[in-house]
Amino acid sequence: MKKINTLHLVLKHCWFDKIISGQKTSEYRECSEYWNKRLTNKHYDIVVFHKGYTNTTATYKILSINITTQPKDLGTNKCWEIKLEKKI
């Protein structure tokens, strides 16, 4: 049986709500030392979003995790993009 690798991310309530509603289909993280170490050469199957530090969560299958230079909500030149496939 294949082990499912899970990425846990805490989101502000507004971003969590946009993902749940389908308005937001990707989550972004800056290309900092912390996130580079956590995401480079790693494989995650699913992401569990936590609505702040509450017990409210949502689980999504991950389509891909890549570095992007496209415009996004972080306002940086380069960041990690976690593309979401479907809610589980």
Side-chain angles (χ1 to χ4, degrees):
M1 192 164 147
K2 182 184 173 201
K3 180 183 178 208
I4 296 175
N5 293 318
T6 305
L7 176 64
H8 289 269
L9 297 175
V10 177
L11 301 177
K12 289 184 177 182
H13 291 228
C14 63
W15 299 123
F16 183 91
D17 294 341
K18 285 185 180 202
I19 287 174
I20 295 297
S21 72
Q23 291 177 320
K24 189 172 176 195
T25 58
S26 292
E27 176 57 19
Y28 300 96
R29 292 292 185 251
E30 62 183 290
C31 283
S32 64
E33 185 179 334
Y34 175 81
W35 287 108
N36 290 345
K37 187 175 181 179
R38 194 163 175 201
L39 298 174
T40 300
N41 297 322
K42 305 281 172 101
H43 174 76
Y44 293 100
D45 300 301
I46 61 173
V47 58
V48 176
F49 293 114
H50 298 264
K51 187 173 186 175
Y53 291 96
T54 68
N55 291 332
T56 305
T57 62
T59 304
Y60 285 81
K61 186 169 172 66
I62 295 174
L63 184 62
S64 65
I65 300 176
N66 296 301
I67 292 179
T68 183
T69 57
Q70 298 301 310
K72 59 268 174 214
D73 52 352
L74 286 178
T76 59
N77 293 334
K78 184 170 84 166
C79 67
W80 288 96
E81 179 180 21
I82 303 162
K83 288 187 181 181
L84 308 175
E85 188 172 343
K86 63 181 177 178
K87 188 172 183 193
I88 298 176

